[in-house]
Amino acid sequence: MADSMSEADKARSNAPSTSAPNCEDRSESVSTAQSPQPSSPPVPDQKEQITPKINISNSTSSSRASESPFTRLGAKPPLGDTRNNVAPSSGMDRLAEKRSTPDHSRPSSTAAEILPEWEDKVLRGIFRISLDPFANTDGHGHHLYDVPSVRADLEDQGQPIRLSTSTLDQAILEVASTSSNSTPLKYLLRCWKRVTGQLKHSKSHKVEDNKLDILKEARRLCMSYCIFAITMPEMFGREQTDTSPLLPHLLVDPENDEGICHDFLTEALSRFPEDDNIEPALVRAAEDLSRELAKKTMNDDYKSYVLALRHLVRYTPLVKAIAQSSLFVPLLTSAADLEATTLLGPFFAISPLQADITTQYFSSPKTRDRAFITNSQQALRMTLTTHQHDLLDIVNHIIKSDKTARDRMLDWFATCVNKNHKRRALQVDKKLVSSDGFMINVAVCLDQLCEPFMDATFSKVDRIDVEYLRRQPRIDIKDETKLNMDQHAAEKFYEESVGGTNNFISEVFFLTLAAHHYGTEATNQTMSQLEKDLKRMEKHIEEIELDRHKWINNPAQLNMFDTAVKKYKDQIDKGISYRYAVQGVLLDEQMQARSIQFVRYVAVWLLRLVSRTQFPKQPLKLPLDSDPSNFFGALPEYFLEAVVGAYRFVMRNMPWTISSTQSDELIILCITFLRNSEKIKNPYLKSGLVTILFAGIWPAPNRPKGVLGDLLMGLPVATEHLLHALMKFYIEVENTGAHTQFYDKFNIRYEIFQIIKCIWDNRVYRENLDRESKANVDFFVRFVNLLLNDVTFVLDESLTAFQQIHNLSQELQNPQHIEQTARQEKEEALSAAKGKAKSYMQLTNETVAMLKLFTEALADAFTMPEIVQRLADMLDYNVDALVGPKSSELKVENPQEYDFQPKALLSEILDVYLNLRNNESFILAVARDGRSYKPANFQKATAIFQVRAKGLKSPQELQAWTELGKKFQRAKEADDQAEEDLGEVPEEFLDPLVYTLMTDPVILPTSRTTIDRSTIRSHLLSDPNDPFNRSPLRIEDVIPDTALKAQIEAFKAEKRGASLARANIMDTTPG
């Protein structure tokens, strides 16, 4: 038929339709259709005179495969075609009966006279069919399709040349089979929109029933042939295609003439029971949507695919069918293939973090200013937020459709997290895991699913059932490190499965926890590694450029060099672009607000579990009691890591998004697990709690004490337990078990110092600390001992580094006199010394400041026998280093570069002396320091503050300092005299480690060695073993040596008596 049309006719047939854009408004052009307009006779074409053949012998594998498709769909075979001997459908019978029986409720005479003409006119208008070979357009200019076979059959049978429902099926088949239509379905969908619109229009205008029956029959036949076009394209002479015929029509607006509208899907779904082919066809269309989208990125036309799936999932029967697709949750899919081979994977894979998208958002990143980057990140976020809203809508419809589909949806989420455990490996191979963008979308969607039950009062937190983890959970935690349980014990614990059914809140809660761990937190980990890689690559580029001069005279080699450098720089630019894109995604305030809301719920749930209370309705009592069930210890570490990671990220990058009302639970969580640190095995996980508090006190806009500072000053649980908790962890972190523990402890303790400084102004903290120090002496002695160790070490390292800088700088002032290799070695040593000085000087300032604070508040703890001598020796040594003969070696250029202020440091050390000036044991310990105590140093320090640093010390402080110096001198003289009076001390009275006269000798239980109690106590503070045979030892196990103590006391009394006698003799000697 296409060959018989004139070129003008062809142009009109390809012109866009002018009919209304929805099913409801398509009746006007049909009901008012004019008679066909004649045109030039078409050239006869033999092809058009042949009635299309129907071959359906292998069209379906259903149980009704032997039936005619017309029987199953209610359509009639073509006129005169006896190959399909099918009785008229019940719908046709009813229509014929109504035509023969007048409707007495309406004026029937007029209706009966015009009904055939009305039927012919309406059907021609709906299906754009012409029975006149010379008329190929209607009154509106719409192209009409000639049906010569239908016309010939009517002529042969002597029937009027009219179109009716009895001839409509043959006419539809003939038109849909002609080559002039791009696809049969395209033609039929346009007809469907027109007939549906006409039927609705007629119903609203109360058209006669017999006319409505005609329209209903036309609509039914149109749908039947639409289904044939989808499931049996060979009926229309078309080959089966690789993709569903529905696919292009799903990608256009449903209200478009060629789109799949609500009425179409509703009618198709209603036929599920009678035709087994419809459901697979629609599922196939959804699968093809997914497959095609897998080839696209956010830069392509992805939106139409997402909208198509959103449209499909609004129909519950279809959702059920889609959820049962083999593509929905494939059993053998790898993590890397989830995005492409699962039905929902390509939809969640759409992200600005996809390959090549980041470089388009942030092209030439090194040349872009901050405003450009910020604007690009905002645009990126807006696009992604819209897409994530669409994803949530899809997921919500699947979950709400029915239980089976909901379970399949939860299974898909579980597959996403369970397959991606390797995203938290130390070295992540991106080829083996899902992408960052995909996993972030999964996490964000799950966060949003949690929102309905995350209210401010935590009213539904009790619905989160910890027994979920022993009731065939969807999440796989078998290989995860547990909070406080080894692998064997955890396996035994979870072998005890429990009965019951998991509720939806528990399912989503635990899936979201896993998604945070393997999604957003894994991306944060990737970003940290990327930052390190970029710094390393930048440094490598600088090193490579130093070799450019080697190739300057060899153009070929220079070109190769430049090519290699450019390739390397392109990799750096790609990394920078990706970093900007990830920052743009993660710095979404709405996304992070939801994340914080979720981890608050996690924090409250963990506190309820570990305390076995109804927190927050019931307050926690610290320290916690032991939990015989140890359910908390059996939880994966990432349950707590998720809380730590989310808060740490937000507090560092966008603290303004956290309100004070969201922080109480966080502070209580940190204090609880630092105060009861035995509940958590991993020291680095506990250090994360310190990091949160540390980040929470960073100054922020309009918050000089940060997000948490003001709360820490007034929250009762904080004023009562925070200082003890911090000091306890300060002690624990001495031994983390890692090979980097020596340096890790200084980083952690630095954060602890900052928190203590923030809260120190609150008198309540200091009063509680003083009271507890008297009740828990051993605890405070251990803390003070470690604080002294740190101060001693960092001071020594810092001052040694400055001496090295001074000496090396002096040597390098005349480099021409130094051999090149030696000069290079000295320059490298100087650079290392400068780096060391910068690092340790910061720690020095903080540790000395802490020493000053604590000696002011806890003087007695610092003057215990096992502590006081070490403290005095350390102070004297550093005063000597700062003001003694070698102090000139500390002079370096630009001391502010290292934050080195020697006068301020000396002032802090003098304050420590003054804090302890009223303690006799401290004064005696200073006097006994035979290595570093020098009265001249005290006098020189006084002169410095009187002349060169007048503002650092007040006259009253200088006066107290002078008086203290005199006390030291008097104590020194008295101690020297006492030592002279004792004379030679018997070997058995001397301490075997420090060789001083013992005052409280004790016997060690395993080595049977006698040692002074203060000496062994000091030793045990850093080593829990007997120093003589390395057996485990506790201070409680030592045995007082009362006999030896009595001998020592007798010896001392004897010597004092002899000394007194000599003094009396001297007094009676004549003058």
Side-chain angles (χ1 to χ4, degrees), residues 978 981-984 986 1050-1060 1062:
D981 292 343
L982 287 175
E984 186 174 350
F1051 170 75
K1052 289 163 61 177
E1054 179 186 349
K1055 292 297 183 179
R1056 282 196 296 268
S1059 176
L1060 184 58
R1062 286 195 300 273

Side-chain angles (χ1 to χ4, degrees), residues 111-343:
E113 292 174 358
I114 65 171
L115 185 60
E117 289 80 3
W118 181 90
E119 180 179 20
D120 177 55
K121 180 181 67 174
V122 168
L123 293 181
R124 290 191 193 198
I126 290 172
F127 292 94
R128 302 279 165 82
I129 291 174
S130 172
L131 291 172
D132 182 352
F134 303 104
N136 54 19
T137 60
D138 63 12
H140 297 282
H142 298 135
H143 173 71
L144 299 179
Y145 298 94
D146 188 25
V147 282
S149 296
V150 175
R151 184 172 60 250
D153 285 347
L154 291 173
E155 290 173 348
D156 291 345
Q157 298 174 15
Q159 296 181 13
I161 309 300
R162 293 190 188 124
L163 195 61
S164 66
T165 53
S166 61
T167 57
L168 182 59
D169 49 1
Q170 181 185 356
I172 292 174
L173 182 59
E174 184 172 352
V175 173
S177 301
T178 58
S179 59
S180 62
N181 289 292
S182 57
T183 65
L185 186 58
K186 181 177 180 180
Y187 162 73
L188 291 166
L189 282 174
R190 289 179 172 178
C191 296
W192 170 263
K193 296 295 178 71
R194 289 191 289 270
V195 70
T196 301
Q198 179 70 20
L199 181 59
K200 291 182 178 181
H201 176 81
S202 297
K203 286 181 178 179
S204 65
H205 288 74
K206 298 182 179 180
V207 174
E208 294 89 341
D209 288 346
N210 49 7
K211 292 184 178 180
L212 290 178
D213 290 338
I214 292 171
L215 291 173
K216 289 176 181 178
E217 179 66 9
R219 185 175 183 269
R220 185 185 63 79
L221 286 171
C222 185
M223 171 55 69
S224 298
Y225 278 98
C226 282
I227 293 172
F228 280 136
I230 296 167
T231 60
M232 300 169 57
E234 60 270 21
M235 175 182 288
F236 305 96
R238 305 301 176 101
E239 297 290 335
Q240 286 280 359
T241 57
D242 294 334
T243 59
S244 168
L246 276 172
L247 182 60
H249 303 285
L250 287 170
L251 296 177
V252 298
D253 190 295
E255 302 308 324
N256 183 285
D257 280 346
E258 298 172 12
I260 306 298
C261 67
H262 168 75
D263 295 307
F264 181 90
L265 286 174
T266 301
E267 178 66 19
L269 296 176
S270 71
R271 298 192 182 198
F272 272 17
E274 65 188 61
D275 189 338
D276 295 337
N277 291 325
I278 302 176
E279 179 180 313
L282 292 175
V283 172
R284 179 195 175 194
E287 292 173 345
D288 286 344
L289 275 176
S290 175
R291 292 189 185 98
E292 291 301 310
L293 182 59
K295 304 173 186 177
K296 300 183 181 296
T297 68
M298 189 167 267
N299 273 352
D300 301 316
D301 178 26
Y302 72 92
K303 189 71 174 179
S304 57
Y305 292 83
V306 178
L307 293 177
L309 187 60
R310 281 189 68 181
H311 182 49
L312 293 179
V313 296
R314 278 164 166 72
Y315 303 89
T316 298
L318 185 52
V319 171
K320 293 179 182 178
I322 291 173
Q324 295 304 315
S325 165
S326 60
L327 292 186
F328 203 88
V329 189
L331 296 178
L332 302 178
T333 300
S334 65
D337 293 334
L338 281 172
E339 301 173 50
T341 60
T342 66
L343 196 146

Side-chain angles (χ1 to χ4, degrees), residues 393-410:
D393 184 69
I394 291 169
V395 170
N396 261 329
H397 277 89
I398 294 174
I399 286 175
K400 293 177 180 179
S401 60
D402 82 324
K403 184 180 184 304
T404 302
R406 180 181 68 202
D407 287 343
R408 294 281 285 174
M409 187 72 250
L410 295 176

Side-chain angles (χ1 to χ4, degrees), residues 364 366 537 540-541 544-545 548 557-575:
S364 305
K366 288 185 177 180
M537 294 172 73
H540 188 53
I541 281 289
I544 291 175
E545 287 291 352
R548 178 175 292 277
Q557 291 291 334
L558 183 61
N559 184 58
M560 293 174 61
F561 178 86
D562 287 336
T563 301
V565 169
K566 182 181 183 303
K567 185 177 180 181
Y568 205 75
K569 288 182 176 180
D570 288 343
Q571 287 296 317
I572 295 176
D573 284 351
K574 188 175 181 180

